[in-house]
Structure formats: C-alpha cells, structure tokens
Amino acid sequence: MKTNKEILESIKGQLIVSCQALPEEPLHSSFIMGRMARAAKLGGAKGIRSNSVEDIIEIKKEVDLPIIGIIKKVYENSDVFITPTIHEVEMLYHEGVDIIAMDATNRVRPDGKKIRDVFPLIRERFPNQLFMADCSNFEDARVAYQLGFDCIGTTLCGYTEETKTKAYQTLTLLKNSYMTSGSLLLQKAAFGHQSN
C-alpha cells in the first residue's frame, strides 16, 4: 500500500484520465468504465478519476492506478453536485479511494453551509485521507489551500455562475494558484465540450 506522499508523487505532472458516464449517457456502465480505465492505463495514464462507488469497484479490478473518486449527486437546494455532503465523502472513504475530490467553490452546499464550514470537520474526521479541491477560480483555490486540501484542480472553471459567462483561462488559474501555494495542482484539460 502506497503512502499519501507516494500517491501524490506518482501522479504529479502525469496524465489523469476521467472515466465516467452519467445514467443518461450511452457509455453508462461500470463494466465499460472498467474497460475505459484499462485502455487509459495502456495509453499512459498514471491516475483515474471516476464517479460512483460501483464504477470505482469495477475500475479497481482492471487497473492498479491511483483513483480520484467523486460522487455526483444533485440536491434540489444547491448547485454543488460533486461529492456535496459528508454522506458521499463517507461512501468514497469506505470504498478506499486514494483521493476524494469535492466541490471547493464558495457556493452554498446542500446542508446550507460553505466549504469553509464543512471541510475542517471532514479533515478532522478523515485525517489521513487525501482530498482534492475542485475549484472554479483563483479565490476557490486560495481558500482550498488554506483549508488544507492536498491538491487543487480546475474542474469547475466554466461551470459556476461566476465563470461560465467569462472567457476564464484555466491555465491562468493554474499559474496563479501554483505561484501562491506551491502545492501540487491537478489540471483537467478539455477541448471542446467539458465533463467534470
């Protein structure tokens, strides 16, 4: 079993491939996601990002790469949908994913709180778990760093009210975030249509 430091070092500067499909999408199937993860590894991926415990279980059967786990769940009272509550964090933790990614924007979460309120409690409850902050802008990344997230991603750049109408530059967000924190950053690059 790798240490947290070894996990982060193994994906630093490497390709991380997102293997996920929602129920309404044609490739939705844990079996297919497992095969996609295997194909990604054969293509040089050093990490996998996946949605749902079912898909993660199947992916673990196919590859031995670090997994960034998320659970997309929509709640009526919130725009936060990537690992939005402690319940989803617990599910991912108990499945044993290497890194749990969660929305780290300043938006109100389903419990009526913001990331500043909930993450310190999550970190206290799961002190040895790696966490990735899915951010939309520099301020999100700055706050995530201060809160103690282990890595930062630009996953939500272009998906929040603040960033979806701007010609927001993902690389600028990365550069500014790195210059400020020096922490390990993960970027989700996409061309054309993006999917979290």
Side-chain angles (χ1 to χ4, degrees):
M1 188 168 158
K2 289 184 177 181
T3 66
N4 285 349
K5 183 177 180 180
E6 289 170 334
I7 291 166
L8 291 174
E9 283 298 319
S10 74
I11 60 175
K12 185 176 182 179
Q14 301 296 323
L15 175 65
I16 298 168
V17 174
S18 180
C19 296
Q20 52 184 292
L22 296 174
E24 65 274 9
E25 297 173 332
L27 294 179
H28 182 259
S29 158
S30 295
F31 176 80
I32 292 172
M33 292 306 107
R35 294 302 194 266
M36 286 180 66
R38 187 186 331 164
K41 181 179 179 177
L42 291 172
K46 299 299 181 195
I48 302 293
R49 180 173 165 119
S50 187
N51 172 42
S52 85
V53 169
E54 297 78 18
D55 287 0
I56 291 165
I57 289 169
E58 186 65 29
I59 288 168
K60 284 181 172 183
K61 293 176 188 175
E62 297 292 331
V63 299
D64 59 353
L65 299 174
I67 297 176
I68 300 170
I70 65 170
I71 294 177
K72 291 182 180 177
K73 176 135 174 119
V74 175
Y75 290 87
E76 288 184 23
N77 62 335
S78 176
D79 290 333
V80 174
F81 64 94
I82 297 176
T83 319
T85 73
I86 188 70
H87 177 68
E88 290 83 26
V89 171
E90 288 171 344
M91 290 172 65
L92 292 166
Y93 177 81
H94 291 300
E95 177 45 41
V97 296
D98 299 289
I99 301 171
I100 296 174
M102 55 191 306
D103 183 311
T105 64
N106 193 38
R107 299 180 293 182
V108 176
R109 307 180 82 76
D111 61 4
K113 297 178 181 175
K114 294 191 175 186
I115 195 68
R116 285 180 186 266
D117 306 314
V118 298
F119 189 71
L121 301 173
I122 291 170
R123 174 56 82 195
E124 183 179 319
R125 187 161 171 191
F126 306 105
N128 298 316
Q129 175 66 52
L130 291 172
F131 286 94
M132 176 178 177
D134 286 350
C135 299
S136 70
N137 59 39
F138 175 72
E139 183 60 19
D140 293 343
R142 187 184 66 74
V143 170
Y145 175 72
Q146 290 174 342
L147 289 173
F149 276 88
D150 301 289
C151 48
I152 297 169
T154 61
T155 317
L156 291 167
C157 186
Y159 287 93
T160 62
E161 286 300 317
E162 178 187 16
T163 62
K164 73 180 181 183
T165 58
K166 295 180 182 178
Y168 211 89
Q169 304 262 340
T170 300
L171 291 177
T172 300
L173 170 57
L174 277 175
K175 178 182 169 194
N176 290 342
S177 298
Y178 185 78
M179 297 298 239
T180 301
S181 69
S183 65
L184 173 67
L185 298 172
L186 303 177
Q187 179 201 7
K188 184 166 184 232
F191 298 93
H193 177 70
Q194 288 184 321
S195 173
N196 293 329

